[in-house]
Amino acid sequence: MAAVSKSLALKKDLETEIGGLAVGVSRAGLFAGLSVLGFANGIVGRVQEGVVNEGIATALFATFNISAVVWVAFVACPLMFLREQRQPLLRTDMVVAAFVMMAFILPFWPLSWVALTGLAFYILRGSFTLRGRQPYSPMRSGAWILLATTGTMFWGRVLLHSASGPVLGADAVLVGWLAGTETIGNTVRFADGDGYVWIAPACSSLANISLAILCWVLFAQFRGVEWSFQNIGWCLLACLSVVVINVTRISLMVLHQEHFDLIHGTIGATVASWLSIAVVLGICMWGTRRARLSPT
């Protein structure tokens, strides 16, 4: 009898502990933890590749070839979730979290971005259901940032690989028009007629466009900017600016073949990257200057 009583007491203590844990976890805490875990799992391939190819120090200095805008989004997303008023977990939250965790466990890192995309859509749908169409919701803002991050880190690459011909061809047409030279597919003839410049996927404007969108989403969500035609126009302007910078850089390669290595190399890439970031930041700051700051 003593053993049975002890067993029942242990069972009751365990149930109390589990119940307290469930009560202690909020929706915001759950989604913040999943976003951090998913991001970490999603970049593991890039981190390993950078360390193997460049060494730990070089890869770390280059932030594992992941834009600083993405790293800011990685921090901003869970912070926005945690600013939401405390809400108890729903049964559907636990079901979604279970499926998301299953995707994280599988040894195929792209699934992490797919799972995070589904999580973002689930939060967006749920935020409207729970809070109505209120002008500001930290939970909804965090979900928009999460969705834009998956676009930059995964869906943009999927689009580029699946439609590389038209995407790279569009870049070539713009470069050919600006430089005034012949284009064939995704190649552009040098101005002196001696050979062609082949526009590789890594040189596409699409990657920069996805970063510009992510940067705009970060500013818009932190400043509580609602979607409108005017704000979408500012976002499109940011996207257009990075296209112009990228096309101009490739056009300079076409026009000045003697400086191709300089423009195409580390110096040219670094200058173009910093210039793009500066212009996009300026457009985002100016476009959201009159927005009210989101509440703390």
Side-chain angles (χ1 to χ4, degrees):
M1 289 294 294
V4 173
S5 299
K6 185 176 181 180
S7 177
L8 292 175
L10 289 174
K11 181 179 179 181
K12 184 177 181 180
D13 291 342
L14 182 60
E15 290 176 348
T16 302
E17 184 175 346
I18 294 176
L21 180 62
V23 172
V25 178
S26 64
R27 301 186 81 231
L30 175 65
F31 296 148
L34 288 175
S35 65
V36 171
L37 184 60
F39 183 91
N41 199 49
I43 66 171
V44 66
R46 289 203 191 186
V47 172
Q48 291 176 346
E49 181 181 356
V51 171
V52 170
N53 295 336
E54 304 173 3
I56 297 178
T58 304
L60 185 62
F61 181 76
T63 62
F64 305 104
N65 294 321
I66 298 174
S67 172
V69 178
V70 176
W71 287 108
V72 172
F74 166 55
V75 176
C77 178
L79 286 180
M80 293 301 292
F81 285 147
L82 294 176
R83 295 172 71 177
E84 180 73 18
Q85 294 181 357
R86 187 177 184 83
Q87 299 172 351
L89 287 175
L90 304 177
R91 182 174 299 177
T92 52
D93 295 340
M94 301 302 296
V95 174
V96 170
F99 279 103
V100 170
M101 287 299 299
M102 288 174 59
F104 292 167
I105 293 173
L106 294 176
F108 186 58
W109 62 264
L111 282 179
S112 295
W113 300 116
V114 176
L116 288 177
T117 303
L119 178 65
F121 278 118
Y122 170 74
I123 297 171
L124 286 172
R125 175 183 175 274
S127 65
F128 279 100
T129 301
L130 290 173
R131 302 181 64 88
R133 292 184 176 272
Q134 297 187 10
Y136 177 78
S137 166
M139 184 82 75
R140 189 166 67 245
S141 295
W144 279 118
I145 295 173
L146 180 60
L147 186 62
T149 304
T150 63
T152 299
M153 295 297 294
F154 181 68
W155 296 113
R157 293 171 176 268
V158 171
L159 177 61
L160 182 58
H161 285 296
S162 60
S164 60
V167 171
L168 299 177
D171 278 325
V173 169
L174 291 174
V175 172
W177 173 78
L178 185 61
T181 60
E182 177 189 5
T183 62
I184 301 176
N186 62 326
T187 61
V188 185
R189 183 187 290 273
F190 281 110
D192 59 9
D194 184 18
Y196 289 83
V197 173
W198 179 67
I199 301 179
C203 300
S204 171
S205 299
L206 183 62
N208 295 329
I209 290 175
S210 64
L211 282 173
I213 294 174
L214 176 58
C215 189
W216 171 261
V217 170
L218 282 169
F219 271 86
Q221 297 306 315
F222 259 93
R223 291 188 167 185
V225 175
E226 289 295 307
W227 292 108
S228 67
F229 287 111
Q230 180 181 2
N231 293 326
I232 292 175
W234 282 107
C235 181
L236 292 177
L237 180 60
C239 296
L240 179 62
S241 68
V242 296
V243 173
V244 170
I245 293 173
N246 188 58
V247 168
T248 300
R249 178 186 173 219
I250 301 176
S251 298
L252 290 175
M253 300 179 200
V254 172
L255 293 172
H256 302 282
Q257 186 176 2
E258 67 278 13
H259 300 303
F260 178 85
D261 292 335
L262 176 65
I263 302 172
H264 182 265
T266 303
I267 295 178
T270 302
V271 170
S273 176
W274 281 108
L275 181 60
S276 297
I277 291 176
V279 172
V280 169
L281 285 176
I283 293 174
C284 292
M285 291 177 65
W286 184 259
T288 60
R289 69 191 184 282
R290 294 179 179 176
R292 65 173 179 80
L293 294 178
S294 57
T296 57

